[in-house]
Amino acid sequence: MAVIDAVDARGRILDVTAALVLEHGVAGVAQRQIAEQVGIKAASLYHHFGSKNEIVEAVFRRGIDVMEHAWDEAAAAATAADRRTRLATHVRAHLSALFENGPYTAAHVTAFRTAPAEVRTAVVPMRDAYEARWTHLLSDLNLVDQPGLHRLTLFGAMNSSVEWFDTERGNLDELAEVITTQFWGRTP
Amino acid sequence: MAVIDAVDARGRILDVTAALVLEHGVAGVAQRQIAEQVGIKAASLYHHFGSKNEIVEAVFRRGIDVMEHAWDEAAAAATAADRRTRLATHVRAHLSALFENGPYTAAHVTAFRTAPAEVRTAVVPMRDAYEARWTHLLSDLNLVDQPGLHRLTLFGAMNSSVEWFDTERGNLDELAEVITTQFWGRTP
DNA sequence: GTCTATACCACGATAGAC
DNA sequence: GTCTATCGTGGTATAGAC
């Protein structure tokens, strides 16, 4: 389910916006800039979306969707596995959402915090649901006293990779293993 | 060396800008907004700085300065300590830079990536120097095979705390201990 | 050192032709 | 579904009085 290189106009607008928002933040992206990369005029965006914020909100929602789908696949693949493998599988799945399904998830995790309040409040329930899955998993794995705190630092380590990980040169399986080892502990 | 609540105009401009940039990102902050919070008109900013980018650059430089000072204090305090204490001291110092000396370091680590290229290239040597200190320390501690990768995920965990840590309710010593434990490993 | 006034441009958004 | 044209606003920045 590759979400990159959409063929319909609406999809191309989202693709372009996600990439631009990832690079410049929401406030740093102009509709004229989006339109230019899509190959239309800025006014034409309003045939597909009601406002700039609506475009950004759709990008964020899709970014969370991508994470959820990656989670579901990981959960299905690792139900019967041992505890460490379950963690490793979900870490790999989150990294997959960040790097292997278009810039949506990466745009969401980097730009959400500084996005307009209207956009943030609209998507916060979706975010919370995904975060709750993680907290529940970590609680289930029984690694530490504070699974909530553990999830936050784990998210910090995983999500920060969008700032420095190079998909051309790096290996996502390797990165997932490194992060899993750090958060599992070296002698389980 | 509290850097908050400066009394001179230049210092107040930087204080206000750092706080606003932390919240909204560079592109999300207008000079009129900065001026209003300082209590002057936007045009008066040009008596102190040559452009918006110059203000932001000064904020970032100060953010890195704060980190460097925190590092120096930690290094002086922990030279004779055991390896784990050295790591813990520097983790605590980095958190101190993020939360206990104004919003400068927090603004820098969150807004640098989406800042104008002109600003980024101007401060990148300072950033690199601080990062090199960390890589050297981690290499020295001989914890893992890849100290470079380790530093990046550690930075991710530490810096992400500006998105969720509440200084009113949380305890920075405790947070430092949690992160140190994660990155040291549970059974050294 | 701060002000008023203003230039100039880019922003998001709308109207209406095709 | 995309266009041209345009509106009103707000952005950075400058000139010059006080």
Side-chain angles (χ1 to χ4, degrees):
Chain A
M1 63 137 220
V3 284
I4 47 176
D5 298 331
V7 288
D8 59 311
R10 194 189 149 96
R12 270 182 293 128
I13 291 167
L14 294 181
D15 281 359
V16 165
T17 304
L20 286 172
V21 164
L22 171 59
E23 190 174 349
H24 300 111
V26 174
V29 177
Q31 293 178 212
R32 289 173 161 91
Q33 205 179 347
I34 297 167
E36 193 192 5
Q37 289 202 16
V38 171
I40 58 177
K41 297 294 174 182
S44 305
L45 294 171
Y46 286 86
H47 178 75
H48 304 278
F49 296 93
S51 67
K52 178 186 174 183
N53 278 356
E54 270 189 29
I55 305 178
V56 173
E57 185 184 322
V59 165
F60 284 177
R61 287 193 187 280
R62 189 138 158 188
I64 301 169
D65 263 337
V66 169
M67 291 194 299
E68 294 270 14
H69 280 112
W71 176 280
D72 289 339
E73 284 180 31
T79 28
D82 62 281
R83 287 158 62 240
R84 192 186 189 283
T85 304
R86 281 180 70 201
L87 176 61
T89 304
H90 280 288
V91 167
R92 182 61 178 80
H94 189 84
L95 293 177
S96 173
L98 287 174
F99 292 105
E100 296 179 333
N101 290 282
Y104 291 96
T105 301
H108 165 248
V109 302
T110 58
F112 173 83
R113 196 182 58 90
T114 54
E118 179 196 329
V119 176
R120 291 203 316 275
T121 54
V123 301
V124 88
M126 274 187 84
R127 276 172 66 89
D128 287 352
Y130 181 72
E131 294 175 2
R133 289 181 169 200
W134 267 100
T135 305
H136 185 261
L137 171 69
L138 292 174
S139 175
D140 225 40
L141 294 178
N142 198 32
L143 288 169
V144 289
D145 299 336
Q146 304 129 297
L149 195 53
H150 208 64
R151 179 190 70 72
L152 288 163
T153 53
L154 173 57
F155 268 43
M158 291 192 296
N159 291 344
S160 76
S161 65
V162 308
E163 299 193 14
W164 48 263
F165 183 77
D166 181 355
T167 40
E168 306 287 309
R169 306 163 65 92
N171 181 311
L172 275 178
D173 291 321
E174 210 177 280
L175 178 59
E177 185 54 34
V178 166
I179 294 177
T180 301
T181 301
Q182 283 170 353
F183 283 81
W184 177 262
R186 263 173 295 163
T187 52
Chain B
M1 63 138 223
V3 283
I4 47 175
D5 298 331
V7 286
D8 59 310
R10 194 189 150 96
R12 272 182 291 128
I13 291 168
L14 293 181
D15 281 358
V16 165
T17 304
L20 287 172
V21 164
L22 170 60
E23 189 174 350
H24 300 112
V26 174
V29 177
Q31 293 176 216
R32 296 194 222 272
Q33 207 180 347
I34 297 167
E36 193 192 6
Q37 290 203 13
V38 171
I40 59 177
K41 296 294 175 181
S44 304
L45 294 171
Y46 286 86
H47 179 75
H48 304 279
F49 296 93
S51 67
K52 177 184 174 182
N53 277 355
E54 270 189 30
I55 305 178
V56 174
E57 186 185 321
V59 166
F60 284 177
R61 287 192 186 281
R62 190 139 160 186
I64 301 169
D65 262 337
V66 169
M67 292 194 299
E68 294 269 13
H69 281 112
W71 176 280
D72 289 340
E73 283 180 32
T79 28
D82 62 280
R83 288 158 60 237
R84 192 186 190 284
T85 304
R86 283 179 67 200
L87 176 62
T89 306
H90 280 288
V91 167
R92 182 61 177 80
H94 189 84
L95 294 177
S96 174
L98 287 174
F99 293 105
E100 296 178 331
N101 290 282
Y104 291 97
T105 301
H108 166 247
V109 302
T110 57
F112 173 83
R113 196 182 60 87
T114 54
E118 179 196 331
V119 177
R120 291 203 315 274
T121 54
V123 302
V124 88
M126 276 186 84
R127 276 172 66 90
D128 288 351
Y130 181 72
E131 292 175 2
R133 289 181 167 197
W134 267 100
T135 305
H136 185 261
L137 171 69
L138 292 174
S139 174
D140 225 40
L141 295 178
N142 198 30
L143 288 169
V144 289
D145 299 334
Q146 305 128 297
L149 195 54
H150 208 64
R151 179 190 69 74
L152 288 163
T153 53
L154 173 57
F155 268 43
M158 291 192 296
N159 291 343
S160 77
S161 65
V162 308
E163 299 192 14
W164 47 264
F165 183 77
D166 180 355
T167 42
E168 306 287 308
R169 307 163 66 91
N171 182 311
L172 275 179
D173 291 321
E174 210 177 281
L175 177 59
E177 185 54 33
V178 167
I179 294 177
T180 301
T181 302
Q182 283 168 354
F183 283 82
W184 176 262
R186 262 172 297 164
T187 51

